[in-house]
Amino acid sequence: MSAPEAEHQAGTSHVGADRIRSVLTRLRRVDPRLYVVYVAFLLILVFFSIYLRDDGFTSSQNLLNIVKQTTPITVMAVGLVFVLSAGEIDLSIGSVVALSSLVAALTLRDHGMVLGILAGLGVGVGAGLINGFFTTVLRLPSFLVTLAMLGLIAGLARWVTDLASVAVVNERYANVFGSGSVGPVPSLLIWSAVVVALGWFLFRHTRFGAHVVATGDNTDAARVTGIRVARVKIAVLLLSGTLAALAGLLYAGRLQSATYTLGEQDLLPVIAAVVIGGTRLFGGTGSVVGALVGSLIMGMLNNGLILMGLSASGQMIAQGVILLTAISVTLREPRGS
Amino acid sequence: MAELKPLVQLDRVRKEFGAVVALEEVTLDVYPGEIVALVGDNGAGKSTLVKLIAGVHQPTSGQIVLDGEPVRLSSPSESQRHGIEVVYQDLALANSQPVYMNMFLGRELVRGPLRQLDRPRMAQETRQLLDELDIRIDSPRQTIRDLSGGQRQGVAIGRAVHWAQRLVLMDEPTAALGVQETKRVEEIILRMRDRGRAIVIVSHSLDQVFRISDRICVLRRGRQVGIRATPEVDADEIVSMITGLR
C-alpha cells in the first residue's frame, strides 16, 4: 500500500467501521419485506420447475416468453414505484395503456411511425399532467383523481374507435416494440432491461429519487428543507403515465393490434408486483429491482398456472390466493413502528 | 460584546393577521456565540416571531437586518439561503431514510457528470459532524426510525448546525424528551454556541432557560416586555414579566 493510500485508509477507517456496524445493525433488524420477494421468486421457480418438468416450463423458449409477456407489467411497475414512494397512487395506468395503444395504432396507420409513437406517448403525458394538476394544484387525493381518470380514459378508449380493434401493420413498428430482436436478444427484453436500469438509476442514485422518497416519507419535512413537493408529485405522475403509455405501445407491437381491453386487467398485477417487491404502499420506501422481480413472479404464476392446466377461473382464484399470501407477508408493518 | 457585530437584527418588527396584532414592535439583536431565550405565555407571540425569522411569515412593518442590510425573508428557503436554520418541534425528519440523507435533505451532494448521489461522502461528513457535536449514533446509515427521541433531536439539531452559517432557531427542542435526553440536547446546544453560531431558543422551561441562555427576551400578548442578561435576573422577575403580575 502506497503512502497516500495508507493515509486515505486511515482517514476513512472510521467510515469503514461504520459500514461494518451498519451491516450488523441491518442484519439484526432486516426488514423481511426487502428480501422476501427474492425468496418467493426462487421458491416459485423451483416449484414450477419440478412440478412442470415435463411440460417445458424451464425451456429457454418458455422462460423467455415469460419475460416477454411480462414486459408491459414491468414497465408500468417501474413507474408505480415512483408514485407509491412519493405517497401517491396512480389507478389510471391500465386505461392509459388501452388509449395509448389505440391512438398510436390510428396515428401510425395514417401518419407514420414517428408520429404514432409520439401520439401514443402523448396520451400518457397528458394523463400524467392532468393527474398531477388535480393532485397538487387542487390538492385532491390522487386515489380519487386517478380513479376518475381511469373511468374517463377507459371511456375515451371505447369511444375513439367505437369499440373496434385497430390492426398494426407497420412491420418496423412491430419489430421495435414487439416481435423483433437485436441479434439473439428479443426487443421486449431490451425494453424491460432499459426501463428497469434507467428507473433504478433515477430512483436510487439521483437527487430526484431522493426527493421522491423524502416527499412520501414526510411531506412537511421535505417542504421545509426546500424540496419542491408539488413538482415532485407532478413528476412521478407524469412518469407513471408516460410509462403506462409505453406499455400500450409494447402491447400494440407484440399483438400487432390495439384494442380497448388492453391493460384492463393489469392494475392489480402491477400493484402486486410493486408491493411484493418491497415498495411501501404509503410512501417513503421503494425498490425498482424488487418491482422487476415482483413482476417476473406475476408472469411466472400466470404461465405456470396455464401449463398446469388450470381453467381461466381457476387461475384467477389461484392468483388471488397467492396475492393475499404475498401481501400478508410483505405488507405487515414491522413491530414497533 | 461591544466589538462584535450582531448576526441578526430585528428592528421594530410588527405582525398583524387581519385585525389581530400578533406582535407589536419587537427589537432584538442577536450576536454570534450567544443563546437568546424567547419566553412568554401561550399566545405571547413567540411562534409568530420564530416564523418571521424563518421566512414563513413576513413582517407587516419593521425590518429584519442581516449584516447591516435589511432583507426580505419571503420563504423558508430564502431564510436558509441567508444562513438561518430552524429546528422544529415536530422534528421534520424523514423516518424511513438514513441519518445522512436527513442531514442533506433537499441539499444532497452529487458527483460525476451524471450527478449521482454521493452517498459515501454524505455519510462521512455526517459522521464527522456527529462526532464534533458528540451526538451518539452508531452509524450515519441507520434509519431515523431506529433512533431514540434524543438521538433524533440530535440529528435535527446537527442538520441545523451544519447548514446555519448565521442563526439557529429552536422551537421547544426538548419538549418531547426525557430528563437524560434533555440534558444531552442541552449539551449539544452549548457546543453549537461555542462554534460561534447565534441561537434563538423558545422554551417553556424556565429551568432550562436559566441553565443555557445568555439573555432572555420576554413577550407578553404580542408585546416585548423586556430583555435581560440571564446572570442579572432571577426566575421571580422573569415570571412576573411573563405574567404581568407583581
Side-chain angles (χ1 to χ4, degrees):
Chain A
M1 193 187 291
S2 68
E5 225 176 307
E7 207 177 276
H8 182 70
Q9 284 280 320
T12 54
S13 69
H14 211 70
V15 176
D18 272 341
R19 273 232 177 108
I20 295 167
R21 229 177 299 160
S22 96
V23 167
L24 288 178
T25 351
R26 269 194 232 172
L27 279 181
R28 230 179 305 133
R29 312 184 196 211
V30 113
D31 186 342
R33 288 175 295 176
L34 293 180
Y35 68 84
V36 76
V37 67
Y38 304 102
V39 175
F41 178 81
L42 286 178
L43 285 179
I44 293 170
L45 184 64
V46 168
F47 172 77
F48 280 139
S49 303
I50 296 171
Y51 193 85
L52 296 169
R53 62 189 173 282
D54 300 328
D55 297 296
F57 178 80
T58 46
S59 74
S60 56
Q61 191 55 46
N62 189 53
L63 292 179
L64 208 55
N65 258 338
I66 293 177
V67 178
K68 279 157 77 174
Q69 280 164 4
T70 340
T71 297
I73 302 288
T74 305
V75 168
M76 281 186 268
V78 170
L80 203 66
V81 168
F82 284 84
V83 181
L84 289 184
S85 297
E88 302 294 336
I89 192 158
D90 187 352
L91 301 176
S92 68
I93 48 178
S95 57
V96 168
V97 166
L99 187 61
S100 95
S101 74
L102 282 164
V103 167
L106 288 171
T107 318
L108 187 66
R109 189 183 63 193
D110 302 335
H111 305 286
M113 176 159 161
V114 174
L115 283 179
I117 295 168
L118 289 178
L121 291 177
V123 169
V125 171
L129 286 177
I130 294 172
N131 285 334
F133 172 80
F134 281 94
T135 304
T136 59
V137 180
L138 300 189
R139 297 186 195 180
L140 299 171
S142 54
F143 181 86
L144 294 176
V145 170
T146 58
L147 186 61
M149 285 295 280
L150 160 72
L152 194 155
I153 297 170
L156 282 177
R158 282 158 174 75
W159 169 79
V160 71
T161 58
D162 209 4
L163 303 187
S165 303
V166 180
V168 173
V169 285
N170 187 321
E171 211 161 292
R172 202 149 55 97
Y173 178 90
N175 270 331
V176 173
F177 287 98
S179 46
S181 58
V182 179
V185 190
S187 57
L188 284 172
L189 192 69
I190 296 175
W191 278 111
S192 271
V194 167
V195 169
V196 168
L198 288 179
W200 169 79
F201 183 81
L202 191 63
F203 189 77
R204 189 66 198 147
H205 291 288
T206 66
R207 296 188 68 198
F208 173 70
H211 294 177
V212 167
V213 285
T215 300
D217 200 340
N218 185 343
T219 310
D220 291 332
R223 195 174 287 125
V224 298
T225 50
I227 294 172
R228 295 196 175 94
V229 173
R231 209 183 278 188
V232 167
K233 290 185 174 181
I234 292 174
V236 294
L237 288 165
L238 184 59
L239 185 65
S240 95
T242 309
L243 286 176
L246 174 60
L249 297 183
L250 293 167
Y251 268 123
R254 177 158 62 90
L255 305 172
Q256 303 201 359
S257 110
T259 155
Y260 70 93
T261 54
L262 290 181
E264 220 174 26
Q265 310 288 332
D266 286 353
L267 183 61
L268 192 64
V270 170
I271 292 180
V274 171
V275 169
I276 292 171
T279 298
R280 249 187 116 229
L281 202 44
F282 309 105
T285 343
S287 165
V288 169
V289 177
L292 165 68
V293 178
S295 149
L296 289 176
I297 287 180
M298 301 311 292
M300 269 197 313
L301 284 176
N302 201 15
N303 179 281
L305 294 175
I306 291 173
L307 288 181
M308 279 170 76
L310 257 70
S311 65
S313 40
Q315 281 176 48
M316 284 177 78
I317 296 170
Q319 272 198 12
V321 170
I322 291 162
L323 254 178
L324 269 181
T325 318
I327 290 170
S328 0
V329 177
T330 53
L331 262 191
R332 273 185 48 220
E333 290 291 316
R335 232 170 281 158
S337 76
Chain B
M1 208 174 283
E3 73 279 19
L4 284 175
K5 286 200 184 114
L7 282 175
V8 176
Q9 293 173 282
L10 304 178
D11 180 18
R12 285 167 294 149
V13 169
R14 179 184 172 90
K15 179 66 186 176
E16 299 166 10
F17 294 103
V20 181
V21 180
L23 209 58
E24 45 184 280
E25 311 237 319
V26 172
T27 297
L28 174 67
D29 293 354
V30 190
Y31 290 86
E34 78 162 341
I35 299 178
V36 175
L38 217 49
V39 299
D41 231 330
N42 290 335
K46 303 180 304 262
S47 296
T48 307
L49 189 53
V50 166
K51 283 176 181 161
L52 288 178
I53 308 173
V56 176
H57 297 318
Q58 286 70 46
T60 311
S61 65
Q63 287 180 327
I64 297 175
V65 179
L66 307 177
D67 299 328
E69 295 283 318
V71 291
R72 207 181 118 72
L73 304 174
S74 53
S75 71
S77 39
E78 190 67 25
S79 268
Q80 287 177 2
R81 220 169 326 194
H82 282 101
I84 297 169
E85 291 286 323
V86 188
V87 178
Y88 291 93
Q89 198 168 357
D90 51 6
L91 296 170
L93 298 174
N95 287 330
S96 304
Q97 313 308 318
V99 171
Y100 71 85
M101 281 305 278
N102 272 281
M103 207 57 95
F104 288 88
L105 205 59
R107 293 174 276 211
E108 299 81 3
L109 301 179
V110 291
R111 67 185 147 95
L114 293 175
R115 295 174 55 75
Q116 299 177 60
L117 290 178
D118 197 345
R119 291 175 187 273
R121 208 174 118 219
M122 288 192 274
Q124 192 185 341
E125 288 191 10
T126 300
R127 175 83 268 166
Q128 279 172 7
L129 184 73
L130 295 176
D131 286 350
E132 274 172 45
L133 291 172
D134 197 20
I135 299 166
R136 289 172 206 168
I137 287 170
D138 285 348
S139 156
R141 292 169 189 272
Q142 270 184 290
T143 50
I144 298 296
R145 181 168 289 133
D146 295 334
L147 303 180
S148 72
Q151 286 176 317
R152 291 180 198 201
Q153 194 57 281
V155 173
I157 294 174
R159 176 170 71 192
V161 178
H162 185 69
W163 296 105
Q165 293 307 312
R166 189 182 296 277
L167 175 78
V168 178
L169 277 174
M170 291 195 262
D171 192 1
E172 299 276 0
T174 59
L177 303 182
V179 177
Q180 278 302 315
E181 295 198 311
T182 297
K183 188 162 164 277
R184 291 206 46 77
V185 167
E186 285 177 4
E187 286 164 11
I188 296 168
I189 294 171
L190 292 173
R191 269 193 293 279
M192 184 160 71
R193 172 180 65 184
D194 298 340
R195 289 167 59 125
R197 304 294 195 279
I199 297 160
V200 171
I201 179 172
V202 172
S203 178
H204 268 113
S205 156
L206 277 191
D207 285 343
Q208 179 171 61
V209 166
F210 276 92
R211 272 197 304 273
I212 64 174
S213 74
D214 299 299
R215 288 192 297 152
I216 304 173
C217 171
V218 185
L219 300 176
R220 183 171 73 238
R221 292 189 194 162
R223 282 188 45 237
Q224 185 175 20
V225 185
I227 303 177
R228 299 283 186 273
T230 310
E232 293 163 16
V233 292
D234 56 25
D236 289 344
E237 186 181 347
I238 295 295
V239 169
S240 66
M241 287 168 80
I242 291 173
T243 56
L245 302 172
R246 278 268 157 204

